[in-house]
Amino acid sequence: MIKHLSLKAYGKINLGLDVLRRRDDGYHEVRMIMQTVGIFDRIDLIREEQPGIRIETNLFYLPTNENNLVYKAAQMLMEEFSISEGVSIHLRKFIPVSAGMAGGSSDAAAILFGVNKMFHLGLTTRQLMERGVKIGADVPYCILRGTALSEGIGEILTPLPAAPQCQVLIAKPGVSVSTRSVYTNLHANQLRPEQHPDIDGILAGIRSQDIAQIASKLGNVLETVTVREYPVIQAIKDKMLAYGADGALMSGSGPTVFGLFTDPASAKRAFEELRSGPSSKLAKQVYLTNFYNTKNAPSSEF
Ligand code: ATP
């Protein structure tokens, strides 16, 4: 009997993010290049005799009730499979919150994986993904991970060859962005053709394993909304580029910015500058990491 699982829920960045249109039902049709990065939340999932779902977290402002995505994930499977025991979930957050890195979705993905394994439910990855989309549009991707093309509302996923490795500098300014309001303010059906990023160009760079091509094509249509509102995002991008980034972009609906560096020494200098140098006021959280691809990891790792 499995009593305890230690899970890692990885964050993502978007190498490309385009919104094709707003559908009549209010959902947005997207075309995104997703990439998992080596920043993760740590989750301990503990089996308990007492029924119910109990959550503890290191961030006092996160909900510990059914509003936490880990609760929703555990509840979904435990109800469907009439599990009469309970679970405790200890969630240690490291992925910046409300930042465009799908932290909550990734936590939910890890719990779906963990509950399936702990209680021997026998669901395949695809079956977990089908359930995950009901919790959030990014959850299926967070189960799949690696480099992928995401279409539809985020649920149509095509795995891609792993993007060529490089250093990834991540900086989150001290502002919070509501994903919903960014999409509302985008006015997706009125975008001009030149405002759409070249997603096919990024795909070509991934297929030819050409990081320079990928870096030159990075693009996120949501920058048109968020950068206007928070100029600090542009300031961080400019700083990364000045320190030798091959490319820099806002991730998701922001405000997190990432820079891709092929030269590790430049990446280190930019990291120091943003973390503790004269530019340290620009960002609250700064990480130096790289791409995480499941092919380089044991298949059971989560
Ligand atoms: P995305 O990139 O998918 O837009 P995000 O990075 O913008 O995600 P998250 O950090 O995943 O945003 O979620 C932020 C919101 O979700 C907050 O309002 C927070 O209270 C709520 N939330 C619920 N569960 C979690 C969780 N496990 N981790 C983080 N936030 C959570």
Side-chain angles (χ1 to χ4, degrees):
M1 184 166 83
I2 301 173
K3 286 204 144 166
H4 174 212
L5 287 172
S6 274
L7 306 164
K8 288 180 187 169
Y10 287 86
K12 64 87 182 151
I13 56 173
N14 297 95
L15 300 176
L17 192 162
D18 196 11
V19 179
L20 305 184
R21 69 182 185 105
R22 183 178 187 276
R23 302 195 312 204
D24 291 340
D25 61 8
Y27 283 103
H28 287 83
E29 242 170 61
V30 294
R31 202 153 178 256
M32 309 190 285
I33 313 270
M34 319 288 282
Q35 175 61 55
T36 312
V37 292
I39 299 173
F40 49 85
D41 295 338
R42 284 190 174 276
I43 303 179
D44 288 293
L45 178 65
I46 301 140
R47 189 172 185 146
E48 307 276 6
E49 277 175 26
Q50 201 193 343
I53 299 163
R54 285 162 291 277
I55 299 175
E56 281 175 24
T57 171
N58 59 329
L59 297 184
F60 71 90
Y61 53 85
L62 283 187
T64 52
N65 57 14
E66 63 281 0
N67 292 324
N68 197 304
L69 296 185
V70 298
Y71 192 107
K72 288 194 210 290
Q75 188 182 38
M76 173 183 274
L77 291 188
M78 291 171 79
E79 277 184 7
E80 181 179 345
F81 289 87
S82 307
I83 294 168
S84 54
E85 292 159 83
V87 288
S88 290
I89 298 170
H90 297 189
L91 170 61
R92 276 172 289 161
K93 294 288 302 180
F94 299 99
I95 303 170
V97 175
S98 294
M101 294 189 69
S105 303
S106 188
D107 295 344
I111 289 293
L112 291 176
F113 172 88
V115 170
N116 184 43
K117 182 169 177 179
M118 177 170 271
F119 295 98
H120 306 290
L121 306 183
L123 295 172
T124 61
T125 299
R126 188 136 294 280
Q127 289 170 324
L128 289 178
M129 288 162 68
E130 281 161 17
R131 284 159 178 79
V133 74
K134 295 178 193 150
I135 300 171
D138 281 345
V139 176
Y141 166 73
C142 291
I143 294 171
L144 183 70
R145 298 169 292 169
T147 313
L149 174 67
S150 166
E151 296 172 293
I153 62 159
E155 84 292 14
I156 305 171
L157 292 165
T158 310
L160 298 170
Q165 203 46 270
C166 64
Q167 301 273 293
V168 183
L169 179 59
I170 289 184
K172 175 180 177 282
V175 293
S176 285
V177 169
S178 145
T179 303
R180 184 186 291 264
S181 78
V182 172
Y183 273 92
T184 306
N185 291 323
L186 180 67
H187 305 297
N189 296 345
Q190 292 154 32
L191 290 166
R192 295 187 303 279
E194 68 275 14
Q195 290 180 293
H196 292 282
D198 182 4
I199 300 293
D200 289 327
I202 306 171
L203 282 173
I206 290 168
R207 295 221 164 86
S208 60
Q209 297 287 290
D210 181 348
I211 194 76
Q213 154 96 1
I214 297 168
S216 72
K217 299 286 184 186
L218 297 176
N220 180 348
V221 74
L222 301 180
E223 281 191 347
T224 58
V225 178
T226 321
V227 172
R228 210 185 310 133
E229 196 169 341
Y230 300 108
V232 64
I233 295 170
Q234 189 61 47
I236 295 175
K237 286 179 67 177
D238 292 344
K239 193 58 74 180
M240 288 185 181
L241 292 167
Y243 272 76
D246 299 71
L249 192 73
M250 183 182 84
S251 183
S253 52
T256 300
V257 175
F258 68 87
L260 304 184
F261 291 79
T262 43
D263 174 26
S266 301
K268 185 97 193 319
R269 278 195 293 274
F271 173 61
E272 300 295 351
E273 168 70 16
L274 283 165
R275 193 187 54 168
S276 43
S279 305
S280 61
K281 283 186 291 301
L282 294 177
K284 269 260 159 62
Q285 282 167 284
V286 186
Y287 296 98
L288 187 54
T289 182
N290 39 39
F291 295 153
Y292 171 84
N293 279 299
T294 44
K295 287 190 194 72
N296 314 328
S299 61
S300 63
E301 194 185 342
F302 225 105

